Amino acid sequence: MSDRKRYVIVGTGGRSRMFTDAIFKDFADQAELVAWCDTSHVRMEYWNNYIAETYDTPRLPTYRVDETLAAFDHMVAEVKPDVVIVTSVDATHHAYIVRAMELGCDAVTEKPMTTDAEKCAAIFDAIERTGKALRVAFNYRWQPTFSTVKQLVASGRIGKPTLVDFQWRLDTRHGADYFRRWHREKKHSGGLLVHKSTHHFDLINWILDDRPQTVYADGGLMFYGEKNAKERGVVHNYDRYSGVPAAKADPFALHMDGSHSGGLSGGSELEGIYKNAEEESGYIRDRNVFGGEDRWPITSEDTVAITARFTKGTVMSYSLVAYCPWEGERLTVTGTEGQVEYFGRGQGHVIAGQSDEQLAKDQYQGEKYIRLQRMFEEPQNIPIPKATGGHGGGDARLLQRIFIPDGEPDELGRDATHVDGAASVLTGVAANRSLETRGVVRFESLWPANAPRP
């Protein structure tokens, strides 16, 4: 009898591939994928063909689920997984996590853990009732750059942290894609302040070993959307941006046949799991970032700035923009004895009319450094460990920890629990509430009553 742990994947969109490849390629001795679960048979069959061709492995049973979750229950009863990996639409994460635990399984979930305070409370309740475990896949914790920043802050080299300044810039390749997808609607994603910023809020919570006390946010939809486009003289009379003459050489367009995929890799994959599944799923992957708001309104902001105070007194300034000409981030932590700064200019730039091949050729890593400067001393450039793979090497390290846990505590505390997942989600929820009320939101007012204190 195999001693490999049995896994199922719920939600077979593009993000599921990271876990699929890990199980079949790198962790086949420790893990076994035994089923797919999704709202679309087309998507699941795409991945069955993929594993058959790529890994010469038998096709897996598929379970098409609806809002009743009956097919999910049936799958668990039939294939008896040890762990459920959840990579579905963000707003549904809690439903699968809770039901998996009630049926006796542990769970691994993509970030964000969920999208609001009530769903966080449901997860905490399920963990308390069942005793099962949840891991939140925060890969940025495992990126060598951020691990190095964490080490420097935790070592006391800059004294007590007093101010964090965190700037995140998404370019017109990466940032635009959130406004083509279901992520543009807060009811599905919580908006970028939950879906995307949960990465960043978790990093700050982890680096400071603290949680926010108060949150204030400002911002709005300032670039994407019909109104902003019309103000710039751009008029689009269609709600999906492909198959029309205007889209042919527009870098904001997405063509899922692979001829030009808006700077995204995997044209045939986009076609296989999204375009071919449209009739069955009703989901349109190539929505127009400057139109289509009658059918799919944009309710997420593309420009935000946040001020937060943490319980130990640190003040944070955070900003996110989703249409920058370049991609990268800057994180500066100032303390009573010095400062550490990380800067990375990352994934390249986009020029109108580029093919995917040209874009890949023109991409550059740009500047990247970590600099430590203690008061009254010369600045030091801190070596950044080399890393390859997704999210600056964070994906590979996270997957290693998930599939081959050695039982030893990580000295940097990078294993993220449901408490960490909730703390990052609720920072974004607090920011969303601040945008709505135009006031300061107390983080504690959102924390579930049934949860351990963060």
Side-chain angles (χ1 to χ4, degrees):
M1 184 175 179
S2 173
D3 59 357
R4 293 186 297 170
K5 193 168 283 191
R6 296 169 65 82
Y7 292 83
V8 296
I9 291 179
V10 178
T12 57
R15 192 59 184 153
S16 67
R17 181 175 180 171
M18 178 180 83
F19 295 98
T20 299
D21 283 337
I23 290 172
F24 282 104
K25 182 180 179 181
D26 298 317
F27 304 102
D29 292 337
Q30 294 82 23
E32 180 182 10
L33 188 62
V34 295
W36 314 104
C37 183
D38 196 274
T39 56
S40 167
H41 275 308
V42 173
R43 275 196 288 270
M44 292 186 285
E45 285 307 306
Y46 174 88
W47 292 115
N48 261 337
N49 292 333
Y50 172 79
I51 63 171
E53 295 171 6
T54 307
Y55 300 108
D56 191 26
T57 190
R59 302 163 72 83
L60 301 178
T62 61
Y63 297 83
R64 187 183 181 196
V65 73
D66 60 22
E67 63 274 6
T68 69
L69 299 192
F72 179 81
D73 288 13
H74 185 52
M75 173 188 69
V76 173
E78 284 199 337
V79 304
K80 297 178 173 55
D82 300 300
V83 182
V84 174
I85 298 174
V86 180
T87 56
S88 60
V89 172
D90 296 347
T92 67
H93 285 184
H94 73 292
Y96 296 115
I97 292 167
V98 169
R99 192 62 183 140
M101 292 179 172
E102 291 173 342
L103 296 174
C105 304
D106 291 327
V108 173
T109 184
E110 254 298 331
K111 61 84 194 164
M113 183 177 79
T114 185
T115 55
D116 62 40
E118 292 74 18
K119 292 170 182 175
C120 285
I123 292 171
F124 279 107
D125 177 67
I127 292 171
E128 184 177 356
R129 285 187 289 110
T130 66
K132 305 309 292 184
L134 173 65
R135 175 188 289 271
V136 184
F138 282 127
N139 39 23
Y140 275 136
R141 288 186 176 209
W142 295 89
Q143 187 183 114
T145 49
F146 293 119
S147 292
T148 301
V149 173
K150 166 71 173 178
Q151 287 174 318
L152 291 168
V153 173
S155 71
R157 301 286 297 282
I158 64 167
K160 178 184 176 181
T162 53
L163 177 68
V164 172
D165 186 12
F166 200 179
Q167 305 166 24
W168 201 279
R169 302 293 175 256
L170 299 169
D171 66 17
T172 51
R173 174 188 66 95
H174 188 183
D177 204 45
Y178 291 108
F179 295 86
R180 301 185 186 107
R181 308 183 307 206
W182 51 263
H183 303 75
R184 68 196 263 167
E185 298 180 68
K186 283 189 176 182
K187 67 180 181 181
H188 297 309
S189 67
L192 287 192
L193 280 169
V194 172
H195 174 81
K196 183 63 181 175
S197 299
T198 189
H199 261 321
H200 314 145
F201 298 147
D202 176 69
L203 280 173
I204 300 307
N205 292 344
W206 168 65
I207 288 170
L208 296 179
D209 190 24
D210 200 2
R211 302 289 184 267
Q213 185 177 69
T214 57
V215 177
Y216 176 77
D218 204 350
L221 185 65
M222 298 183 178
F223 182 78
Y224 300 108
E226 288 182 288
K227 179 182 177 182
N228 293 318
K230 287 177 180 178
E231 288 179 353
R232 296 193 299 272
V234 178
V235 179
H236 289 171
N237 297 317
Y238 37 84
D239 56 19
R240 65 183 306 171
Y241 203 7
S242 62
V244 295
K248 187 174 182 180
D250 193 328
F252 288 102
L254 176 69
H255 302 279
M256 292 187 290
D257 61 3
S259 59
H260 174 49
S261 56
L264 303 173
S265 61
S268 61
E269 182 177 304
L270 292 172
E271 185 174 20
I273 61 178
Y274 296 120
K275 186 176 181 180
N276 294 345
E278 284 180 8
E279 184 176 351
E280 178 188 39
S281 68
Y283 173 55
I284 306 300
R285 174 64 176 80
D286 59 343
R287 299 172 188 179
N288 181 5
V289 299
F290 300 119
E293 293 191 43
D294 289 340
R295 294 178 64 189
W296 303 296
I298 299 177
T299 53
S300 174
E301 297 77 20
D302 57 21
T303 311
V304 290
I306 292 172
T307 301
R309 179 177 288 275
F310 284 69
T311 66
K312 297 176 185 177
T314 308
V315 174
M316 176 184 76
S317 172
Y318 169 83
S319 62
L320 173 71
V321 65
Y323 49 89
C324 191
W326 57 278
E327 177 120 353
E329 61 275 357
R330 186 189 301 273
L331 170 60
T332 305
V333 185
T334 303
T336 56
E337 298 178 25
Q339 183 183 84
V340 58
E341 178 186 29
Y342 161 65
F343 176 75
R345 185 180 176 108
Q347 299 176 19
H349 57 282
V350 179
I351 298 174
Q354 278 182 308
S355 67
D356 288 347
E357 291 76 16
Q358 289 172 321
L359 178 64
K361 190 177 295 184
D362 289 343
Q363 283 181 330
Y364 60 92
Q365 288 301 310
E367 188 178 7
K368 179 178 285 191
Y369 62 79
I370 296 176
R371 189 166 295 147
L372 171 69
Q373 185 164 10
R374 289 172 50 78
M375 287 184 179
F376 316 114
E377 296 181 8
E378 291 293 323
Q380 304 174 49
N381 288 323
I382 306 298
I384 301 174
K386 291 184 179 180
T388 59
H391 293 92
D395 286 353
R397 288 164 172 78
L398 169 71
L399 292 166
Q400 174 79 18
R401 187 72 173 181
I402 288 174
F403 292 113
I404 313 182
D406 58 14
E408 293 296 322
D410 173 60
E411 62 178 11
L412 293 180
R414 288 172 289 194
D415 295 319
T417 69
H418 57 293
V419 176
D420 301 310
S424 64
V425 165
L426 295 180
T427 305
V429 171
N432 277 329
R433 185 167 295 183
S434 178
L435 287 170
E436 294 168 3
T437 63
R438 314 305 299 172
V440 174
V441 175
R442 293 191 65 81
F443 179 84
E444 185 73 14
S445 69
L446 299 171
W447 192 253
N450 63 340
R453 302 316 327 142

